[in-house]
Amino acid sequence: ATTLCSYGMFDRAMAVFADVDDAFRRNDTTDSYEYAAFVNNLASTQYLCGMYDKAESNLMRAVELLRKEGNHLYDIAVSICLLAELYRKKYNDTQKSLQVLDEAWTVLCDENIVRDGNYAFALTKCYPVFAEFGLDMQAEALKEIAAEIYGGNI
């Protein structure tokens, strides 16, 4: 679906997402990590397609689902970083973006997050957003942690 959107086939992409959403609902698995990741992917695609209202709503939903699930905190930060970008595009509101990035930073610094490859991958998604908003010290710290985990290869 994401690929369809990138080629301008928005209606087809949204139809695929609707089919997948229906499958989650039929299987009663809308409280799973997989569903939260799906909602986050849907929101990312909606953001890329300029569907900012829907993207914002689904990002908030993904964060809520991930918080309930409780085992993938770094994915919360990835969703929040996309929210920061969305707030700047949708509202031209850098202050609101910086506020949510502060929340993402707090999540990424949580002692309970396992510092593994999944965490490093999330950092590679987040540190450019911090840099984009001029939070260079945080961006560099996240990049360094990812590089350490990846053995210096980022």
Side-chain angles (χ1 to χ4, degrees), residues 1-16 45 49:
T2 306
T3 302
L4 290 170
C5 182
S6 68
Y7 283 102
M9 300 178 201
F10 308 121
D11 293 338
R12 286 181 66 192
M14 292 305 120
V16 170
T45 302
C49 294

Side-chain angles (χ1 to χ4, degrees), residues 7-146:
Y7 283 102
M9 300 178 201
F10 308 121
D11 293 338
R12 286 181 66 192
M14 292 305 120
V16 170
F17 278 117
D19 288 345
V20 174
D21 190 62
D22 287 344
F24 275 109
R25 291 178 192 287
R26 276 193 314 274
N27 292 315
D28 196 28
T29 54
T30 57
D31 60 351
S32 65
Y33 167 72
E34 291 76 13
Y35 186 71
F38 161 76
V39 171
N40 188 63
N41 194 14
L42 169 61
S44 297
T45 302
Q46 290 168 328
Y47 170 77
L48 293 172
C49 294
M51 302 171 168
Y52 298 138
D53 289 337
K54 290 179 181 181
E56 182 178 9
S57 174
N58 280 319
L59 284 167
M60 300 297 260
R61 198 165 119 213
V63 168
E64 178 184 331
L65 290 166
L66 289 163
R67 284 191 197 282
K68 282 182 187 176
E69 187 266 345
N71 293 320
H72 298 85
L73 296 176
Y74 46 80
D75 284 336
I76 293 170
V78 172
S79 295
I80 292 171
C81 285
L82 184 54
L83 262 177
E85 293 179 307
L86 183 143
Y87 289 152
R88 183 167 57 192
K89 277 210 181 210
K90 181 179 176 186
Y91 302 113
N92 195 28
D93 190 344
T94 301
Q95 189 59 39
K96 191 169 186 172
S97 297
L98 292 171
Q99 288 172 344
V100 296
L101 284 174
D102 188 50
E103 182 181 354
W105 176 256
T106 300
V107 169
L108 290 169
C109 293
D110 189 299
E111 295 175 357
N112 296 315
I113 295 179
V114 176
R115 277 27 181 197
D116 61 5
N118 292 323
Y119 177 67
F121 183 67
L123 295 181
T124 65
K125 292 181 176 182
C126 292
Y127 80 74
V129 179
F130 280 85
E132 181 182 326
F133 282 92
L135 301 171
D136 298 329
M137 288 176 49
Q138 291 93 329
E140 192 56 36
L142 297 175
K143 186 176 180 180
E144 285 178 18
I145 294 167

